[in-house]
Amino acid sequence: MPAVAAKHEEKEPGKLPPAKERAKELTKKMKEKLQLTGDQEDKVGEINLRAAEAVDRAIAVPGAGRYDRFQSVKAAQKQRDNELKGVLTHHQFEKYKRLKDELKDTV
């Protein structure tokens, strides 16, 4: 097996990467697409990490049904959007809403 392949193990189907990794990747995409300032990038990174951790907690609830998990994930996403409103400019937030479908695959 090549060294590169050994470094990048295949992720298990249906299993999310760690919250920190997902938040970092999403923040990177948002920085690029929304042209975030350094200060915004830091704040957005913190918001994305909290949201990714909330998603992990929602998914990990023992005995929770699919609908309950879905509702918890949706609530975490709504909370992230509300927090982002306070960090992004109006123009950036409007663009974020349009790009959301593309970005949501990360978290």
Side-chain angles (χ1 to χ4, degrees):
M1 176 180 339
V4 174
K7 275 184 172 179
H8 300 285
E9 296 175 17
E10 291 293 319
K11 73 176 189 173
E12 294 177 40
K15 187 169 182 178
L16 294 173
K20 199 171 199 173
E21 187 179 313
R22 295 189 327 266
K24 185 177 178 180
E25 185 63 30
L26 178 58
T27 303
K28 180 180 166 186
K29 287 182 181 181
M30 290 176 73
K31 178 183 179 185
E32 175 188 318
K33 303 280 186 184
L34 303 176
Q35 300 172 335
L36 301 178
T37 66
D39 186 44
Q40 285 177 316
E41 183 181 2
D42 292 342
K43 290 177 182 175
V44 167
E46 292 170 9
I47 292 167
N48 286 336
L49 180 57
R50 282 194 300 274
E53 289 171 341
V55 167
D56 286 354
R57 284 190 301 275
I59 292 171
V61 174
R66 289 180 96 177
Y67 181 77
D68 291 334
R69 283 191 220 124
F70 172 76
Q71 290 299 321
S72 295
V73 168
K74 196 168 178 157
Q77 292 170 340
K78 185 174 182 176
Q79 176 65 33
R80 178 181 58 216
D81 288 353
N82 287 335
E83 290 183 43
L84 287 173
K85 278 183 190 176
V87 174
L88 302 177
T89 65
H90 177 74
H91 176 73
Q92 286 172 320
F93 190 74
E94 290 301 313
K95 189 172 182 179
Y96 163 74
K97 287 193 306 188
R98 289 190 305 271
L99 295 169
K100 209 168 169 180
D101 287 337
E102 177 186 330
L103 296 172
K104 76 177 177 184
D105 293 333
T106 307
V107 171

